[in-house]
């Protein structure tokens, strides 16, 4: 049996993980289904300019970059290295 504070902590952690997952899914969907030539993922790849970072350029890589963006956006750090690149992404 969990104490009230332990249950509250677990609920908070679950809510943060759920929010990160949803934000990551939405952000990666914009990269995969948005404007193909001009999206945040393509801009991120060209600014990083490192072939080893994007060796496995597929949905999993896009999702991991989107999760990175979601975590840093939710925590308020927001490095600014992943930014919107199309009008749909700014909305």
């Amino acid at each position: 049996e969990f104490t009230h504070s332990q249950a509250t902590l677990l609920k908070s952690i679950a809510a943060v993980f759920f929010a990160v997952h949803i934000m990551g899914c939405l952000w990666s969907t914009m990269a995969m289904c948005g404007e193909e030539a001009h999206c945040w993922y393509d801009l991120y790849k060209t600014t990083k300019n490192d072939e080893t970072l994007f060796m496995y350029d597929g949905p999993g890589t896009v999702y991991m970059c989107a999760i990175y963006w979601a975590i840093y956006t939710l925590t308020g750090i927001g490095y600014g290295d992943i930014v919107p690149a199309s009008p749909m992404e700014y909305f």
Side-chain angles (χ1 to χ4, degrees), residues 62-73:
V62 174
Y63 178 73
M64 291 308 295
C65 290
I67 289 295
Y68 165 81
W69 170 83
I71 289 170
Y72 281 93
T73 298

Side-chain angles (χ1 to χ4, degrees), residues 1 9 18 23 26 41 48 53-54 69 74 78 80 89 91:
E1 189 71 28
L9 179 64
F18 182 71
M23 287 178 68
L26 291 174
Y41 186 68
K48 287 297 181 185
L53 280 174
F54 305 101
W69 170 83
L74 281 176
E89 293 169 355
F91 179 64

Side-chain angles (χ1 to χ4, degrees), residues 8 21 32 40 75:
T8 302
H21 172 70
M32 304 287 287
W40 67 266
T75 58

Side-chain angles (χ1 to χ4, degrees), residues 3-18:
T3 65
H4 176 69
S5 58
Q6 289 173 333
T8 302
L9 179 64
L10 285 175
K11 286 179 189 177
S12 298
I13 290 171
V16 168
F17 279 130
F18 182 71

Side-chain angles (χ1 to χ4, degrees), residues 24-25 27-33 39-42 44-45 51-67:
C25 285
W27 197 240
S28 61
T29 299
M30 286 188 204
M32 304 287 287
C33 301
C39 69
W40 67 266
Y41 186 68
D42 292 327
Y44 185 60
K45 284 194 316 187
E51 292 295 323
T52 58
L53 280 174
F54 305 101
M55 286 176 26
Y56 307 106
D57 194 20
T61 305
V62 174
Y63 178 73
M64 291 308 295
C65 290
I67 289 295

